[in-house]
Amino acid sequence: QVALVESGGGLVQAGGSLRLSCAASGRTFSGYAMGWFRQAPGKEREFVAAIRWYEDITYVADSVKGRFTISRDNAKNTMYLQMNSLKPEDTAVYYCAAGPGVRFEAEYAFWGQGTQVTVSS
């Protein structure tokens, strides 16, 4: 059984930084991508960033490009999302996911429970 556990969310002022972590367990992820999605109140869940588990290929949404960086530590089975220059519009529940796809929710087979990020103005 795959388990994805996010951590690192919280309350931060605009312009601040947070680093989210996603600890994965239960299987190998060869051929998979690991991704971050977010869902703001009243909005649909949207793609934020993704990274191939065994390749140095990353994908980042235009809305966060230049501010957010995705990375992973294979030895720790952990993925990270470094979020800098945070804006109030980044406020959302952030979800970690794993699957064979990259940008679309339907391509992800496994999901974490989510971690709240709140950016105050």
Side-chain angles (χ1 to χ4, degrees):
Q1 186 69 19
V2 173
L4 302 175
V5 180
E6 302 99 334
S7 61
L11 173 63
V12 64
Q13 287 188 332
S17 299
L18 283 175
R19 188 175 82 154
L20 304 183
S21 299
C22 172
S25 63
R27 62 160 288 160
T28 60
F29 293 95
S30 177
Y32 269 36
M34 300 288 292
W36 290 100
F37 287 75
R38 67 185 183 185
Q39 187 167 21
K43 295 187 177 181
E44 299 203 347
R45 192 152 56 183
E46 65 174 358
F47 170 78
V48 176
I51 186 168
R52 291 286 182 193
W53 196 247
Y54 286 115
E55 300 170 278
D56 288 330
I57 301 174
T58 61
Y59 311 83
V60 182
D62 288 343
S63 58
V64 303
K65 196 167 291 183
R67 300 187 297 121
F68 291 12
T69 303
I70 188 170
S71 63
R72 68 184 185 311
D73 183 334
N74 288 5
K76 296 182 178 180
N77 264 13
T78 301
M79 175 180 65
Y80 304 98
L81 185 68
Q82 178 66 44
M83 305 186 295
N84 298 329
S85 301
L86 283 161
K87 304 175 181 180
E89 51 263 43
D90 294 318
T91 294
V93 177
Y94 284 70
Y95 297 91
C96 165
V102 177
R103 293 184 179 270
F104 301 104
E105 279 190 69
E107 298 176 312
Y108 285 83
F110 306 103
W111 291 84
Q113 82 288 352
T115 186
Q116 176 71 46
V117 171
T118 303
V119 184
S120 63
S121 57

